[in-house]
């Protein structure tokens, strides 16, 4: 299996990397990123409300920072002033309570059946064997007030 830190994460331009370091100035980042996204949308013939976009960017970044992921990205296609999806990458290491991480352990630990059972599939990814968990969860509304209805988890 490959170490994800050596693989890197590459996402399309619609996916915006979120600032996660404690030293990052989220407010300034949101302001600058909103300007860039508005310009990109304007070039595509679409107008955005920069203030709404800036608030959403800041809320998404602060929300992700609260979970301390390894990487985090939010999906902002042209013409959207709120994120359509969130991608977070986290690293889980064996410890005293779980000495060996397996795909079965990941599937069991990260599955919920709030609204029916999850769909768990196994896949082969470039970094090695993986398990994909697709599930509906009962959760509080994410920033922006839109209900969170689907969570997909990929573990390898």
């Amino acid at each position: 299996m490959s170490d994800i830190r050596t693989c890197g994460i590459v996402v399309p331009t619609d996916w915006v990397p979120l600032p996660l370091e404690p030293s990052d100035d989220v407010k300034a980042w949101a302001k600058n990123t909103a300007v860039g996204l508005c310009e990109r949308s304007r070039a595509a013939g679409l107008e955005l409300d920069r203030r709404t976009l800036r608030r959403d960017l800041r809320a998404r970044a602060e929300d992700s920072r609260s979970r301390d992921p390894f990487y985090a990205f939010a999906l902002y296609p042209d013409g959207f002033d709120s994120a359509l999806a969130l991608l977070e990458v986290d690293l889980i290491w064996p410890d005293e309570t779980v000495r060996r991480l397996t795909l079965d352990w990941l599937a069991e630990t990260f599955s919920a059946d709030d609204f029916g059972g999850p769909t768990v599939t196994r896949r082969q990814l470039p970094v090695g064997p993986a398990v994909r968990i697709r599930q509906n969860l009962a959760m509080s509304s994410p920033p922006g007030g839109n209900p969170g209805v689907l969570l997909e988890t990929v573990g390898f």
Side-chain angles (χ1 to χ4, degrees), residues 44-109:
L46 304 163
E47 289 297 322
L48 295 177
D49 179 15
R50 189 178 337 175
R51 187 175 295 164
T52 300
L53 179 58
R54 186 180 67 232
R55 280 193 303 264
D56 192 71
L57 284 161
R58 187 172 177 186
R60 298 289 176 170
E62 289 172 349
D63 180 55
S64 281
R65 287 165 64 118
S66 73
R67 286 181 295 281
D68 194 29
F70 194 67
Y71 295 114
F73 303 88
L75 176 60
Y76 288 92
D78 290 338
F80 287 84
D81 58 11
S82 61
L84 295 185
L86 181 68
L87 169 66
E88 292 181 347
V89 176
D90 208 348
L91 301 178
I92 301 170
W93 300 99
D95 63 17
E96 304 79 43
T97 60
V98 180
R99 297 204 181 278
R100 185 168 177 262
L101 300 178
T102 65
L103 296 181
D104 289 335
W105 179 86
L106 289 168
E108 182 180 321
T109 302

Side-chain angles (χ1 to χ4, degrees), residues 4-70:
I4 193 167
R5 294 173 297 180
T6 64
C7 296
I9 301 287
V10 178
V11 294
T13 57
D14 289 354
W15 287 91
V16 176
L18 302 177
L20 300 174
E21 295 299 318
S23 60
D24 291 336
D25 182 349
V26 175
K27 187 175 179 180
W29 168 85
K31 182 179 180 182
N32 293 333
T33 303
V35 169
L37 291 175
C38 284
E39 289 172 358
R40 189 184 78 195
S41 282
R42 191 173 304 114
L46 304 163
E47 289 297 322
L48 295 177
D49 179 15
R50 189 178 337 175
R51 187 175 295 164
T52 300
L53 179 58
R54 186 180 67 232
R55 280 193 303 264
D56 192 71
L57 284 161
R58 187 172 177 186
R60 298 289 176 170
E62 289 172 349
D63 180 55
S64 281
R65 287 165 64 118
S66 73
R67 286 181 295 281
D68 194 29
F70 194 67

